[in-house]
Amino acid sequence: SRIPHEVPGVDLVVFGHSHREVIDTVINGVRLMQPRNYAATVGVATLNLVRAKGKWVVESSTGASVRVAGHAESAAVLGVTDGMHRAALAYVAESLGVSPTVWRSDLARAADMPVTDLVGEVMRRESGAQLAASPAFSLDAKLDSGRVTVSAIAKLYPFENTLRAVRISGAQLRAYLEHSAKYWKTWTPGDTASLVNPTVPGFNFDMLVGAEYVIDLSRAVGQRITALSFDGKPVVDTDSFTIALSNYRQTGGGGYTMLANAPLVFESKGDIREMLIDAVRKAGTLDPAAWSHVNWRIVPAAAADAAQASLLRGARVGSATGAAPSAADRVITVTQQP
């Protein structure tokens, strides 16, 4: 919103990233447009020009949204892109290694699961940081037993984020985890409503590797992180840690303002997804035991159950078929730490 106020001569700003369609927003005479995410719509801006003092100027503008669904594909465009499309399909089908078991993510925000530990551990090891934090971007992403393909890793980590590490204090670490815990509403005994806070996107709920902590959902926001420790010792405000993050998170994306001015100690040239691909290829056989360490949990136990139920309920509502997971799929065994 600063461009319309601070940059003269701009008539139209087309932007992206926030996943919200913007069509009719005009600021200081400048139209702002953002089509819907995943190419669901195309934004069409019409600029009405008039001749004034020997120059063409924009007198007014209008915006419209066109849904992509239902429109015939262009044969010319398909012809030009066919080779690249086939090459992309071949790349994502490439086998990187094998897994002896299924790596699930359907409950990854309610319980510490190997699939999120894999991402965090790759980030931590690549950066040399003591800690790492990353979200579960999609609860539908999983690694099936058998071949692990590039497409499976791409669904697990869908963005081209680069890797950075910063130095933070114990106080900043606690504030980081408290902010993350806002993803959940406060649990009260007997409450059957979903515990997921609808105002917090799932990609803003980060999970930490490298330190142990408990999220007590019976407590108010800002007071939920208990038993926070590193290397067996309670974390105090004056402690110092290095933590690996995506470039999006390191710059405060998602409201993580406690990271402001944290000294940068590492920055990668490549992106995190490529690091994951390389890690799987190097491992060959992807054994969860080589990556997973249960270091966080939700309490009380009834709140943890309610959190898992909330995620499963959301999956049923959001699925194409509406089918609930089977009883076997709903069972999760997690070795909790005190």
Side-chain angles (χ1 to χ4, degrees), residues 232-267:
K233 298 179 181 179
V235 171
V236 297
D237 288 353
T238 54
D239 283 342
S240 178
F241 304 100
T242 53
I243 182 171
L245 308 160
S246 70
N247 62 305
Y248 171 74
R249 190 68 83 228
Q250 184 267 331
T251 54
Y256 285 79
T257 56
M258 74 294 298
L259 297 173
N261 303 317
L264 186 67
V265 297
F266 173 86
E267 186 169 10

Side-chain angles (χ1 to χ4, degrees), residues 55-71:
K55 295 182 179 181
W56 289 103
V57 296
V58 176
E59 180 182 50
S60 62
S61 69
T62 58
S65 173
V66 178
R67 294 189 64 83
V68 171
H71 290 268

Side-chain angles (χ1 to χ4, degrees), residues 180-194:
S180 176
K182 292 178 182 178
Y183 174 74
W184 300 105
K185 294 187 290 187
T186 301
W187 172 82
T188 55
D191 187 2
T192 59
S194 173

Side-chain angles (χ1 to χ4, degrees), residues 19 22 30 43 58 68 94 133 146 154 158 206 228 265 269 305-306 314 336:
H19 291 201
V22 178
V30 180
V58 176
V68 171
E94 179 185 341
D206 278 7
L228 176 59
V265 297
K269 293 182 180 179
D305 291 342
Q336 301 285 17

Side-chain angles (χ1 to χ4, degrees), residues 82-331:
D82 183 66
M84 292 178 284
H85 178 62
R86 290 178 182 276
L89 291 178
Y91 169 67
V92 299
E94 179 185 341
S95 181
L96 301 172
V98 295
S99 172
T101 186
V102 176
W103 300 56
R104 298 167 49 201
S105 63
D106 54 346
L107 300 175
R109 296 173 191 153
D112 191 345
M113 301 184 74
V115 72
T116 49
D117 285 345
L118 172 65
V119 176
E121 276 299 310
V122 168
M123 293 169 61
R124 191 178 68 84
R125 297 175 191 184
E126 286 286 334
S127 65
Q130 295 165 293
L131 313 171
S134 184
F137 290 106
S138 171
L139 299 183
D140 292 329
K142 68 176 181 178
L143 304 181
D144 282 321
S145 59
R147 291 193 319 128
V148 178
T149 62
V150 170
S151 63
I153 298 299
K155 189 168 185 179
L156 179 63
Y157 205 100
F159 302 109
E160 286 76 30
N161 294 328
T162 57
L163 179 62
R164 296 178 181 175
V166 295
R167 181 166 293 280
I168 61 173
S169 68
Q172 286 172 299
L173 176 60
R174 185 176 293 276
Y176 189 104
L177 294 173
E178 289 287 3
H179 181 74
S180 176
K182 292 178 182 178
Y183 174 74
W184 300 105
K185 294 187 290 187
T186 301
W187 172 82
T188 55
D191 187 2
T192 59
S194 173
L195 280 184
V196 175
N197 182 348
T199 68
V200 179
F203 57 77
N204 278 339
F205 178 64
D206 278 7
M207 288 152 281
L208 188 73
V209 298
E212 289 71 42
Y213 61 102
V214 172
I215 306 173
D216 188 341
L217 293 186
S218 69
R219 297 190 176 195
V221 169
Q223 303 173 22
R224 293 174 167 176
I225 303 304
T226 64
L228 176 59
S229 64
F230 176 79
D231 199 21
K233 298 179 181 179
V235 171
V236 297
D237 288 353
T238 54
D239 283 342
S240 178
F241 304 100
T242 53
I243 182 171
L245 308 160
S246 70
N247 62 305
Y248 171 74
R249 190 68 83 228
Q250 184 267 331
T251 54
Y256 285 79
T257 56
M258 74 294 298
L259 297 173
N261 303 317
L264 186 67
V265 297
F266 173 86
E267 186 169 10
S268 71
K269 293 182 180 179
D271 62 60
I272 295 170
R273 185 169 61 212
E274 287 300 320
M275 295 174 190
L276 288 166
I277 289 171
D278 290 343
V280 176
R281 185 182 283 118
K282 183 178 179 180
T285 298
L286 204 55
D287 181 5
W291 303 92
S292 179
H293 173 67
V294 178
N295 63 289
W296 68 271
R297 60 193 173 103
I298 289 174
V299 298
D305 291 342
Q308 292 190 25
S310 298
L311 296 183
L312 293 175
R313 185 185 312 161
R316 290 195 295 271
V317 171
S319 68
T321 63
S326 67
D329 288 338
R330 288 196 294 268
V331 175

